[in-house]
Amino acid sequence: MSKDKTIANPSRRRFLVVGAAASGALIVGWRAASAQATLPYLGARIEPASLGAFVRIEKTGEAIIGARGCEIGQGVKTSLPMLIAEELDVDWNRVRVEQLPYGYIDTEKGPGLKYGDQGAGGSTSIPTAWKDLRQAGAVARWLLLVAASAKLNLPAGQLHTESGNVIAPDGTKLSYGELVDAASKLDPPTEPRALKKPEEFKVVGKPTPTVDAREIVTGQTQYGIDAYLAEALVAVVARSPWIDGEIASLDDAEARKVSGVKDVVRIAGPKPGDVFDGVLVNGVAVLATSTWAALKGREKLKIEWKPGPFADESTEALRKQADELLRPANADKSIVVRRDGDVDKARKTARKTIEARYSVPFLAHATMEPPAALIHVEKDKVLLVASLQDPDGASEVINAVTGVPRAKIEIRMTRAGGGFGRRLKNDYIAEAALIAKQTDKPVKLLWTRDDDLRHDFYRPFCVFQMAASLDRKNEISAWSARCAATPRNHRDKGMKDRPLWNGTLAPDDFPAGLVPNFDLSLLPLTSGQPRGWWRAPVSNATAFAVQSFIDEVAVALKQDPLALRLKLLGEPRELPYKGHGGPVFDTGRMAAVLNAAAERISWKRKLDKDRGLGIAGHFTFGGYAAHALEVSAIDGNVVVHRSVCAIDVGHVVNPLGLEAQVIGGTIDGLSTALNLGITLKDGKVQQSNFGDYPLLRMGQAPVDVEVVIVDSGKEPSGAGEMALPSALPALTNAIYAAAQVRIRELPIGDQLRKIL
């Protein structure tokens, strides 16, 4: 394959440019593309530097729309350009989508982001783009209308647009391509343009295939790990097996003898107690002319590691620590997260109090594409090509490591083979920059699956002590949850000023505000393991405990689990919700998805022997989701016969993309519940590959995930994380209904086989 890619001379074209200024104001202008550009082949489609905009219109009328977000499988390379195309008023089949690079710029007013927020996290891509990207399309459309007005000598108000044309009252049509030259001389509007009403949408809300689906299924898509530069050296790293472990001795003589090995360099991690703001642990990097040589060189390294301060940490010790903290005698050590009424008083007068304990393990992200980065560090500039979730953070890390100004750091983003929060951390970028700084050649850093599982930022380990008190009328009079957990903010610079419970618990989650007496508290566990955001943070753990326990309460009350949930939710109303996804939690929307899931699965029907139905719902990041599952658990073998997920994320940009996210989230949730957990022994992570961290296999997966989209007509939320949390408790609740075995500890693993 050619190492260079020459961009054809585009001087015949002029481009409509729509961008965002550092101040946040929209800038719309016109400029000619550069005449020619020659770029090295990087494994990704690269346009000339003059691209730098959301919209380009060619003379043919074809619209090229830039996708600004990090595409990690959540579909933003399709959905975000759809927002622009809608207001631009072009046929989607005349649109070509191109991935935009990271857009850091320096202006007279200071640094800024050319395209706005380009990160991917917290399911925020659609909510943050809902108005500003539509406005980009609307302004571009306005310029074309004004240009047509002058050409036709008619007021712009008498003209309208349709399918890439401006149309006059008498039917005269001018294509957008015909208007480019005239529009290039216009100034952008000083005020935002009016946006379409939902009933006017022609692109948004229509099922739309992924723009690069053909490339994906035919193996042509270039991921970050595919990036290539001529003369690049491949680097792999031997990392300390312990957090804060140090190199006691290093003998690299045999490694240097391996054919193709060019150098061996040390990489310094943070000092004990310092924030994880770059490289995660101390390591030794081997640089070679090929991946094989680099790996063989790493095998030949003779390293003696000095254990860090958490060398005796184990999963068993964490459980014992949690058991001790959750003893009633240690109640005064709790950090209060929320307290309504008087739980203790309600318990004293209760007819009955139900208690149960639930636990969830550390979890790794295990993205299909392990961390990797191609980087070239020169004296006054840096080029990075990688799969990212936080390009802004990557730019900051490279600047900190190299000293190169951020405006001189070019970042080209590719499609990523998954993210789930792992790529919100840029430790692998810091590693690559440190290695490349020590050589005059480009460096391609590769992680193996073992590297990935043993050096992650894990989902926190949590143990929940749940209690519900029932009054004389069999109503829930008090609810408490004491959570012993490894706090999410451990050595995280971005969270140092937040409450210790932040990232582990959510004070306004169900059933807060729905029972008269409510307590939620945190008991911090001591652990050295790095923690990070894992798909549907907080919700992925709390939903399992809360939605499982509400089923236990329903059984004790001899009530239908769905009916109890609906009774607690009560009449439709909005409750204050201060966490991410707020500012309100709508009980009516939550009830609607629960009812929709129950209706689709025929909740009241009589089941065959050994089968059971389970239901659960959760509010995550502004979206409402509910799962209803039909399962059997004969001889300990869990089989999911039917899976239904009802979801309400407000206005849906791409129903096809939403269905894909719901299906993926459901499968991920089932996989997590059945199989996944990271365990520790002697301070080391025990899992190393998919043999001992087994993702869901086809034989375990439901034949179909039925998706019910509930259209509330509200402002949109994201969709990438909403369908995971409720899948876990819906599964365990269904297992109880089928086999009368209550699962309180994840993963399920072989628990059922030992009981049944």
Side-chain angles (χ1 to χ4, degrees):
M1 183 176 289
S2 171
K3 295 180 180 177
D4 293 315
K5 177 180 179 181
T6 301
I7 308 300
N9 187 335
S11 57
R12 65 183 179 83
R13 303 179 291 193
R14 293 183 68 86
F15 300 105
L16 170 62
V17 177
V18 184
S23 64
L26 198 65
I27 294 176
V28 180
W30 294 81
R31 62 168 175 263
S34 60
Q36 191 171 11
T38 302
L39 296 171
Y41 174 70
L42 300 172
R45 180 179 292 172
I46 303 298
E47 292 286 348
S50 60
L51 174 59
F54 290 119
V55 178
R56 302 203 317 270
I57 295 179
E58 297 191 352
K59 289 285 190 179
T60 61
E62 182 182 33
I64 299 91
I65 298 179
R68 74 177 179 190
C70 294
E71 178 55 78
I72 58 174
Q74 80 282 43
V76 295
K77 190 174 179 180
T78 303
S79 57
L80 296 186
M82 286 175 68
L83 296 174
I84 296 172
E86 180 63 70
E87 299 293 343
L88 183 59
D89 219 352
V90 292
D91 288 338
W92 184 249
N93 60 11
R94 298 296 308 280
V95 170
R96 191 172 84 236
V97 174
E98 298 289 355
Q99 177 67 56
L100 293 172
Y102 173 60
Y104 181 91
I105 55 174
D106 278 331
T107 69
E108 294 180 357
K109 295 182 179 180
L113 298 176
K114 189 174 184 180
Y115 310 112
D117 183 13
Q118 292 185 263
S123 294
T124 59
S125 294
I126 291 296
T128 57
W130 179 244
K131 291 183 179 178
D132 74 319
L133 289 190
R134 288 169 61 208
Q135 186 64 218
V139 169
R141 174 177 170 273
W142 179 86
L143 287 171
L144 294 162
L145 276 169
V146 173
S149 171
K151 193 166 186 176
L152 296 171
N153 196 27
L154 288 170
Q158 293 185 16
L159 308 175
H160 71 278
T161 59
E162 184 178 340
S163 301
N165 296 287
V166 178
I167 304 173
D170 63 0
T172 301
K173 290 184 179 180
L174 295 175
S175 74
Y176 285 177
E178 295 177 77
L179 297 168
V180 169
D181 287 335
S184 67
K185 301 177 177 62
L186 299 174
D187 293 326
T190 57
E191 298 292 334
R193 309 314 304 161
L195 300 177
K196 290 183 180 180
K197 298 177 181 179
E199 57 267 27
E200 300 175 305
F201 289 164
K202 299 176 182 177
V203 176
V204 170
K206 303 299 185 291
T208 304
T210 301
V211 293
D212 52 354
R214 181 178 294 276
E215 288 85 353
I216 293 171
V217 299
T218 57
Q220 299 178 67
T221 295
Q222 301 294 310
Y223 296 87
I225 203 168
D226 299 317
Y228 171 79
L229 269 176
E231 300 185 346
L233 295 176
V234 176
V236 295
V237 179
R239 299 173 184 83
S240 168
W242 293 284
I243 293 297
D244 296 326
E246 298 178 359
I247 299 173
S249 66
L250 168 64
D251 181 351
D252 61 11
E254 293 302 313
R256 291 180 181 274
K257 291 178 183 178
V258 174
S259 178
V261 170
K262 296 299 182 182
D263 203 358
V264 177
V265 300
R266 296 192 183 201
I267 303 173
K271 295 179 180 179
D274 285 355
V275 296
F276 295 127
D277 194 29
V279 174
L280 182 57
V281 292
N282 289 298
V284 180
V286 177
L287 290 94
T289 54
S290 70
T291 304
W292 178 254
L295 290 170
K296 297 304 290 184
R298 185 171 70 170
E299 289 178 10
K300 296 292 184 179
L301 291 173
K302 297 177 182 178
I303 309 173
E304 289 187 13
W305 296 101
K306 178 182 177 182
F310 291 93
D312 60 348
E313 183 174 352
S314 69
T315 299
E316 186 59 32
L318 274 174
R319 290 194 182 107
K320 290 180 179 178
Q321 191 185 156
D323 289 344
E324 177 63 24
L325 283 173
L326 288 169
R327 289 175 55 215
N330 289 318
D332 60 344
K333 296 180 181 179
S334 299
I335 297 172
V336 175
V337 179
R338 175 167 175 163
R339 179 165 291 166
D340 299 340
D342 191 332
V343 167
D344 290 338
K345 182 178 179 180
R347 179 175 293 190
K348 289 176 183 178
T349 60
R351 180 185 66 81
K352 182 179 182 181
T353 294
I354 304 161
E355 295 189 77
R357 184 172 293 186
Y358 298 87
S359 65
V360 296
F362 286 120
L363 288 177
H365 296 85
T367 57
M368 289 295 99
E369 177 193 0
L374 175 67
I375 190 167
H376 192 190
V377 176
E378 300 182 73
K379 182 179 179 180
D380 58 352
K381 62 181 179 179
V382 176
L383 171 66
L384 171 71
V385 186
S387 297
L388 302 168
Q389 276 189 259
D390 180 18
D392 202 41
S395 174
E396 291 176 350
V397 162
I398 294 171
N399 168 253
V401 169
T402 66
V404 173
R406 292 182 65 190
K408 298 294 184 179
I409 299 171
E410 181 184 356
I411 298 178
R412 297 172 181 171
M413 304 190 304
T414 67
R415 175 176 278 274
F420 313 121
R422 176 60 181 95
R423 301 182 203 279
L424 289 172
K425 294 294 186 179
N426 285 292
D427 55 307
Y428 61 105
I429 304 299
E431 279 188 343
L434 280 168
I435 296 167
K437 190 179 177 182
Q438 300 180 61
T439 180
D440 60 355
K441 295 182 181 296
V443 169
K444 182 171 182 176
L445 173 68
L446 294 175
W447 285 42
T448 65
R449 180 60 61 197
D450 291 20
D451 298 333
D452 176 43
L453 286 179
R454 288 180 168 169
H455 301 283
D456 201 350
F457 290 82
Y458 304 101
R459 191 277 301 275
F461 172 95
C462 306
V463 180
F464 298 86
Q465 182 66 43
M466 311 293 293
S469 296
L470 310 177
D471 63 18
R472 302 298 175 185
K473 297 179 180 180
N474 264 353
E475 303 283 351
I476 299 176
S477 59
W479 180 287
S480 70
R482 298 172 65 218
C483 178
T486 55
R488 166 62 187 85
N489 63 0
H490 176 65
R491 296 174 70 173
D492 190 314
K493 182 179 70 172
M495 299 185 72
K496 63 184 178 69
D497 296 326
R498 299 185 190 180
L500 197 61
W501 50 261
N502 188 267
T504 307
L505 296 171
D508 298 329
D509 267 359
F510 178 91
L514 300 172
V515 293
N517 303 288
F518 179 88
D519 261 8
L520 180 63
S521 61
L522 174 72
L523 292 147
L525 297 177
T526 301
S527 169
Q529 293 306 304
R531 274 88 85 180
W533 302 120
W534 191 93
R535 191 175 190 177
V538 183
S539 299
N540 57 51
T542 59
F544 167 64
V546 171
Q547 290 294 312
S548 295
F549 188 54
I550 196 68
D551 256 51
E552 293 212 46
V553 174
V555 170
L557 290 170
K558 298 181 180 180
Q559 291 187 17
D560 177 86
L562 172 63
L564 179 57
R565 285 174 170 83
L566 296 176
K567 184 177 180 180
L568 279 170
L569 289 168
E571 292 298 316
R573 62 199 187 282
E574 293 182 344
L575 301 177
Y577 193 94
K578 297 177 183 177
H580 182 47
V584 298
F585 165 69
D586 190 320
T587 63
R589 294 176 71 182
M590 188 75 256
V593 293
L594 285 165
N595 279 320
E599 181 180 356
R600 174 64 69 90
I601 209 164
S602 301
W603 179 256
K604 295 291 186 180
R605 65 189 162 92
K606 185 177 180 180
L607 297 174
D608 294 337
K609 183 182 178 182
D610 297 320
R611 290 200 182 191
L613 292 177
I615 197 164
H618 197 70
F619 173 68
T620 304
F621 297 173
Y624 301 78
H627 275 87
L629 301 182
E630 180 180 345
V631 310
S632 63
I634 301 171
D635 297 327
N637 296 309
V638 177
V639 178
V640 180
H641 299 280
R642 283 191 69 192
S643 174
V644 173
C645 181
I647 190 159
D648 174 6
V649 290
H651 283 302
V652 178
V653 176
N654 182 6
L656 201 60
L658 174 58
E659 287 185 7
Q661 290 305 299
V662 170
I663 293 169
T666 299
I667 296 298
D668 202 1
L670 298 178
S671 178
T672 300
L674 287 166
N675 304 325
L676 303 183
I678 289 292
T679 56
L680 304 170
K681 184 178 180 181
D682 298 327
K684 300 177 183 178
V685 172
Q686 297 301 289
Q687 287 67 34
S688 63
N689 214 308
F690 291 132
D692 46 21
Y693 197 77
L695 302 182
L696 194 74
R697 297 186 178 185
M698 292 181 68
Q700 293 178 294
V703 174
D704 185 25
V705 176
E706 302 169 46
V707 180
V708 181
I709 298 175
V710 179
D711 184 5
S712 63
K714 301 289 186 178
E715 289 284 291
S717 67
E721 298 170 278
M722 287 59 175
L724 183 141
S726 55
L728 286 78
L731 174 64
T732 55
N733 291 340
I735 289 172
Y736 178 80
Q740 302 299 292
V741 175
R742 185 66 68 180
I743 300 295
R744 297 192 180 97
E745 181 179 351
L746 295 181
I748 295 168
D750 61 357
Q751 291 181 59
L752 287 169
R753 292 187 184 92
K754 294 178 180 179
I755 298 171
L756 298 177

